């Protein structure tokens, strides 16, 4: 059973460009979470999605950030018009549809904004 | 609001010795879960141990055990017989059975010295 897949692993963008981060959850997992880790900090929750639904986006910045988890295909975290402050590691995690079970993390995407 | 606090930014321990990492949390929920995750230099998030709040018995996984004090809202991690491979950043996390998201502490960098 393959783990959580994220791509790309490293992404470099110039200020003003768009960044698209992809996450494929583990087989059988219908819940996806996105977290952001700034340098020397812990992970901060951004958004929680189920197939075709955003359940909790309380951690998402109000502008430029969006997330989706379509019926088919990976979950996408999209950052429009990136700024240097968006430079961070973005982690995706997935879990089966049971509350309280552990979340399995992907290897993360390191975004660098020049 | 839910919070997690790790008051030890850095710790070190000699190989084969025992070390305890501290974590305190705050939540108004009755049903919640606590986790310790390990993040080695590869940055992969690895689950170390998990504790359900409704269970009084402390969780144990091989050399890793927790001291869960529910009334004090304390959740410390004890690593016995420390190994060089235990060198990593350790994050304490609080999971909500209602929302599913994880709240992470700031992390403790553990260095195991030969």
């Amino acid at each position: 059973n393959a783990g959580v897949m994220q791509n790309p692993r490293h992404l470099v963008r110039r200020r003003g460009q768009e960044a698209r981060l992809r996450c494929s959850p583990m087989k059988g997992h219908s819940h996806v979470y996105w977290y952001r880790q700034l340098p020397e900090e812990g992970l901060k929750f951004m958004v929680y999605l189920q197939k075709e639904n955003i359940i909790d986006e309380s951690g998402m910045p109000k502008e430029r950030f969006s997330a989706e988890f379509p019926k088919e295909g990976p979950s996408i975290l999209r950052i429009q018009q990136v700024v240097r402050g968006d430079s961070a590691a973005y982690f995706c995690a997935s879990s089966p549809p049971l509350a309280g079970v552990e979340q399995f993390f992907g290897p993360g995407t390191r975004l660098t904004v020049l | 609001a839910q919070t997690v606090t790790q008051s030890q930014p850095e710790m070190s321990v000699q190989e084969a010795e025992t070390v305890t990492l501290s974590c305190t949390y705050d939540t108004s929920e009755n049903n919640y879960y606590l986790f310790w995750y390990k993040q080695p230099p590869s940055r992969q998030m690895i689950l170390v141990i998990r504790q359900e709040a409704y269970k009084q018995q402390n969780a144990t996984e091989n050399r890793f055990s927790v001291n869960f004090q529910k009334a004090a809202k304390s959740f410390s991690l004890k690593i016995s017989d420390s190994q060089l491979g235990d060198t990593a950043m350790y994050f304490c996390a609080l999971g909500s059975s209602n929302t599913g998201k994880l709240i992470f502490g700031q992390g403790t960098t553990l260095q195991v010295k030969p």
Side-chain angles (χ1 to χ4, degrees):
Chain A
N1 189 5
V4 179
M5 310 280 282
Q6 287 188 251
N7 67 81
R9 293 292 307 276
H10 301 275
L11 182 61
V12 179
R13 285 288 179 265
R14 297 190 180 280
R15 281 178 294 170
Q17 292 184 319
E18 178 181 289
R20 290 171 70 88
L21 287 62
R22 294 174 183 77
C23 169
S24 296
M26 287 181 69
K27 187 176 181 180
H29 288 192
S30 56
H31 296 205
V32 166
Y33 308 81
W34 285 94
Y35 297 85
R36 177 165 64 176
Q37 184 178 30
L38 296 171
E40 309 302 322
E41 293 188 12
L43 280 70
K44 296 285 195 291
F45 168 79
M46 299 182 73
V47 62
Y48 164 31
L49 310 106
Q50 295 177 19
K51 285 283 187 182
E52 300 185 281
N53 283 306
I54 297 175
I55 306 303
D56 182 353
E57 57 182 348
S58 58
M60 286 277 271
K62 293 290 185 285
E63 298 178 349
R64 302 187 298 108
F65 285 72
S66 62
E68 63 176 5
F69 189 16
K71 186 176 180 181
E72 301 291 337
S75 175
I76 306 286
L77 179 67
R78 182 183 178 203
I79 311 172
Q80 294 178 291
Q81 300 175 349
V82 296
V83 301
R84 288 213 173 114
D86 296 333
S87 294
Y90 291 83
F91 288 90
C92 168
S94 73
S95 72
L98 284 175
V101 296
E102 69 174 282
Q103 296 179 14
F104 294 81
F105 282 81
T109 293
R110 175 171 285 282
L111 171 67
T112 302
V113 180
L114 302 177
Chain B
Q2 296 180 312
T3 60
V4 176
T5 302
Q6 293 178 249
S7 58
Q8 305 155 314
E10 296 180 356
M11 296 275 289
S12 64
V13 63
Q14 291 296 132
E15 195 175 6
E17 297 291 308
T18 296
V19 64
T20 298
L21 307 184
S22 301
C23 173
T24 58
Y25 63 94
D26 193 19
T27 180
S28 57
E29 296 187 6
N30 290 321
N31 296 321
Y32 57 90
Y33 301 79
L34 293 159
F35 305 86
W36 279 97
Y37 279 89
K38 168 185 176 181
Q39 187 178 46
S42 67
R43 302 186 68 86
Q44 176 72 52
M45 294 291 287
I46 301 165
L47 179 70
V48 175
I49 201 164
R50 170 176 177 264
Q51 174 82 43
E52 292 90 340
Y54 63 86
K55 288 187 177 179
Q56 292 186 343
Q57 186 172 6
N58 289 325
T60 299
E61 287 288 340
N62 301 315
R63 297 183 295 108
F64 299 88
S65 61
V66 298
N67 183 3
F68 175 44
Q69 301 290 326
K70 190 172 183 179
K73 294 183 178 175
S74 170
F75 183 61
S76 60
L77 174 69
K78 185 171 84 171
I79 306 174
S80 304
D81 186 24
S82 297
Q83 300 176 0
L84 297 178
D86 295 334
T87 293
M89 178 84 87
Y90 286 81
F91 291 100
C92 178
L94 170 65
S96 166
S97 58
N98 292 329
T99 67
K101 67 185 180 185
L102 296 178
I103 307 297
F104 285 86
Q106 307 92 314
T108 297
T109 299
L110 176 66
Q111 177 77 40
V112 180
K113 298 179 178 179

